[in-house]
Amino acid sequence: MAWSSDDWPEPIALSVEDARNDFPILKRKVGDGKQLIYLDNAATTQKPQQVIDAMSEYYRNNNANVHRAAHTLASEATTAYEESRLKLKHWFGATQSRLVFTSGTTEAINLAAHAWARTNLAEGDVIVLTEMEHHADIVPWQMLAKEKGVELRWTPFDLETFELDMDAFAIAVKGAKLVACVHTSNVLGVRNPIEEIIHLTHEAGAKLILDAAQAAPHDRLNFEGLGVDMLAISAHKMGGPTGIGALIINESTFQQMEPFMGGGDMIREVHLDYSTYQENEHMLEAGTPKIAEAIGWGAAIDWMAQWDIDSVHQHGLFLAQKTVAELRKIPGMKIYGRHAEGDGAVVSFLHESLHANDLASFLDARGFAIRTGHHCAQPLLRKFNIAATNRVSYWLYNTEHEVDEFISAVNEICNKYA
Amino acid sequence: MAWSSDDWPEPIALSVEDARNDFPILKRKVGDGKQLIYLDNAATTQKPQQVIDAMSEYYRNNNANVHRAAHTLASEATTAYEESRLKLKHWFGATQSRLVFTSGTTEAINLAAHAWARTNLAEGDVIVLTEMEHHADIVPWQMLAKEKGVELRWTPFDLETFELDMDAFAIAVKGAKLVACVHTSNVLGVRNPIEEIIHLTHEAGAKLILDAAQAAPHDRLNFEGLGVDMLAISAHKMGGPTGIGALIINESTFQQMEPFMGGGDMIREVHLDYSTYQENEHMLEAGTPKIAEAIGWGAAIDWMAQWDIDSVHQHGLFLAQKTVAELRKIPGMKIYGRHAEGDGAVVSFLHESLHANDLASFLDARGFAIRTGHHCAQPLLRKFNIAATNRVSYWLYNTEHEVDEFISAVNEICNKYA
Amino acid sequence: MATTEWPEKLLEIIEDFSAAFDTSERYEMLFELADDVDELPISEWTPSTKVHGCQSEAHVLACLNEDGTFHLRGAADSKLVQGLISITAIALEGLSLAEVAIFSPTYVEEMGLKEALSPSRANGFLNMFKKVQQEAALLGE
Amino acid sequence: MATTEWPEKLLEIIEDFSAAFDTSERYEMLFELADDVDELPISEWTPSTKVHGCQSEAHVLACLNEDGTFHLRGAADSKLVQGLISITAIALEGLSLAEVAIFSPTYVEEMGLKEALSPSRANGFLNMFKKVQQEAALLGE
Ligand SMILES: Cc1ncc(COP(=O)(O)O)c(C=O)c1O
Ligand SMILES: Cc1ncc(COP(=O)(O)O)c(C=O)c1O
């Protein structure tokens, strides 16, 4: 394969201005002509022009179905598709591991539940989760629990510090077969003590699946370095297109997997009365792959690779911390999260008397796109006895000026309506 | 919702030349400068510029995560996404039915197997298939059969006429619970007697899932008019993007379905010990949807809607019939298919002494993109005692001139190497 | 129902909204209108008053005035949603049940609010309006 | 192994291929070269001669000439694949087993064939080449 990680230039410190120029949507006016200020990056990030172009160019020049083909376009498409897999493996420190393309983090976790857990767990086996999980890391395990009689154990977190109760975890993980845990919470922004979780998980002889949907945009995970067993990610939360994500799987876990969906590409031989399957990643990729999406994601990784990831992380955290400091000054405003070193650029907040939806509408009318609701983490919110929060979440193109504008809008709205 | 099917203009007869102009890739040179002649449309079609633009524009202007959001971009994205669903329902005559987005035909059939068959079929129940099925319509049922002890019955076809043995089908379907059948074979191009199959299936009290991957590009199926229960399609085979497809489901079948994958968007309430689910299509769409892909597919449908579909079909069939007539003149060449009225624009052939891969390579060197192999239909090929065929497949932009060029290249190659 | 046929009080509101400078101002007006509704206190919220398919908690109760004409009470935890209920109450106040039954919900569009409402909130509004009409129909039985 | 170090017979072939007008002509040459191999008849095809991960049926058998140098027999149902085996046989003919072990498969690229080979066929070629080296190593044990 032609691509090598040497093709990535030495990363430089993030230039927000330069980065920003690559995102045409950030120039948009919304509603009655207000400048868009996009603060909903934890839901989905915007895409650099390079990613949009990579997909357009693929469709304009190289589009063909991949694998098993002996014509030029198909070769080009196959090479580009597999090259993206390789780029992702390099990016995530998983060159000795398997990377299966899925439609996103959600499908990646469902894949783990079907391809690994369904065949390797039996009645009475234990899965440890946390009360901080996104629904995508709850519902598949509930379904499995119901089907197979597997037990789910929940690790609580502290309502003041927003930190997982690691003592409780250490007890819960004893005798468990699997731990499913979010790396960085999409509501609190809290980065969990992954290293300790991995250590305790493996000490207990269990496997770990990490939900890294929110980690991937601001952290360069080292899958093999950390020793994770399975890792779920979405392209659309890190500058890539919709419709694609991945489950990264270490070799020993992969070897225990059974096929999930059946169909083209994942088979070796199909007979009327039985079939045999591929032995590499293709075993878990049934049907025509997400070809343009994989190529777009590869372009997103290329784009990301130009920036020193630490500077990206620090920039987001700085914006989040400033936001928190300013929001705290508003009477009646509560912040959910600690925003410490390592945490994500996500700030959840709720005013005691201004309805979250109303605040979001007032902000929307002023051009601010923020998210409001349960953020697909109802159990987490229920712990706080609330049904919704407002949430702003930053990515590398957000500016301090945008934060200032946001804060001044919230102040104005609270003064008027709260 | 703003869109209505009245927005589609009165369709006009296909102008191949006008259609062709919308596909930038068709102007490409391949290898050492040969004009590309793309004859691999059954694997995937090319995309009109309008589809590429619709996706780029979405990413440049409206990208946001859909549903549950109170900001302008999210509203725009949600409206566009759901509008595509509506367009597709109109196109496929399914306005009173459900349309669930999947990653393609393969995932659509797997969805039917998991969400419907797994909960509604029990040990000893019978599924009737045909020996003409694509692996995507075989392997999921084999997996289910293995798990649940369901019996699979195979409807044979005639090796001379290439037609399903409807007497055998009429017997097999007695007492069956489900029939899974390909509308148009991707190897033979044969359009099966769907109306009769539906009639016999329903007479037997069974449900029917139709694999319409190859039908959709050249036929405007009428889901409710035909009375199909479930229908599987892929966008990428009808001018739309990769990474998306759909399962259309009639209401009574939908009401018998259970969730498949778990996660965001498909839930109503998530508690630690149980969850409740959406009652509409979203129940079966876990995770961030394929937003740009749905929008691109909607644009493909808009683009298709300008052409009288019957003229599209006749054009393809004409090219296929001409190809067959010319290939038959070559000594040692065998054609697999009947190419009768209603059949797809697919021609499978095999020379008795020129290896299929070699012929494909010689053609590729001359600019022709054709497919070679088992076409994900090994049981079908095994019936003919062959492991591969060469296959050309046309879509609305292919010209008679391209057919002439193709035929003359095959003649030249056969004269030289066979 | 064409524009000219809107009840006078509703017409005034539509005109006010149309004259508004921008969506911010329209939201402000909506927020203020919330207080004008004959508010249904939380103590009277029941499963049968609840509007389903609405992102926030919204409740409506269809009543009759002494003269047998229509009167709407309602409330919501979101003030903007309560503002929409309030406008609906103003729109339908004093109409006969027959008039309520054929009333068109398009006034939100004329107020320039439809496009500002997110798809989920627009659905919430329509669900609310439909519920009001259904309850009104029940009153007439 | 740098270009200049290719065995003479292989070098000739590389030059012929490089001089070819286009891929069509290179395929034609490959097709013709297929006949030059010391063909392994189907009757001698066994599971142990089979090249795995190749789209067509391809078989190779590593042998020794009387002088102890390397000799390759092979065949494939695809003539183009057999052509690749044939070139490989020419390339390795008469080398010592030690030389075979370190021989580089990059000659296909220099012949302008690599880009013309589809990813699956390129893999097939590399699988074939690796198998030849493995079999050669076994001969030396
Ligand atoms: C008849 C038929 N069914 C199913 C499929 C699978 O479609 P996809 O790969 O888009 O899931 C194909 C495509 O090759 C097909 O031709
Ligand atoms: C922590 C976390 N996990 C999982 C998901 C689900 O990702 P997707 O919707 O892309 O499948 C999200 C996205 O909302 C998330 O934030």
Side-chain angles (χ1 to χ4, degrees), chain B residues 168-292:
Chain B
F169 178 80
I171 294 166
V173 78
K174 292 253 163 64
K177 287 277 170 68
L178 178 70
V179 171
C181 177
V182 68
H183 178 290
T184 299
S185 162
N186 64 315
V187 180
L188 307 172
V190 168
R191 182 216 196 262
N192 286 312
I194 295 309
E195 293 75 6
E196 191 184 346
I197 288 169
I198 294 170
H199 176 72
L200 291 171
T201 300
H202 288 165
E203 207 175 55
K207 291 207 178 275
L208 178 80
I209 176 165
L210 213 53
D211 172 353
Q214 294 297 337
H218 68 90
D219 200 345
R220 187 163 167 187
L221 294 159
N222 188 338
F223 180 81
E224 286 158 10
L226 284 167
V228 185
D229 299 292
M230 292 181 273
L231 185 113
I233 35 177
S234 293
H236 73 93
K237 291 186 195 284
M238 53 186 298
T242 58
I244 192 163
L247 184 69
I248 307 182
I249 312 160
N250 66 13
E251 189 61 31
S252 71
T253 309
F254 182 76
Q255 289 305 332
Q256 299 175 341
M257 284 181 155
E258 295 273 310
F260 173 23
M261 294 200 240
D265 253 21
M266 56 73 75
I267 63 96
R268 187 174 284 270
E269 276 182 29
V270 175
H271 298 257
L272 293 184
D273 46 353
Y274 74 97
S275 295
T276 57
Y277 305 116
Q278 296 281 353
E279 280 160 20
N280 62 7
E281 280 99 333
H282 298 159
M283 176 184 88
L284 300 172
E285 291 175 355
T288 298
K290 302 130 181 64
I291 309 169

Side-chain angles (χ1 to χ4, degrees), chain A residues 49 60 118 142 270 275, chain B residues 49 60 118 142 275 378:
Chain A
Q49 187 63 46
R60 290 175 58 89
R118 245 181 119 200
Q142 286 182 336
V270 175
S275 296
Chain B
Q49 187 62 45
R60 292 175 57 89
R118 245 181 119 199
Q142 286 181 337
S275 295
Q378 288 180 346

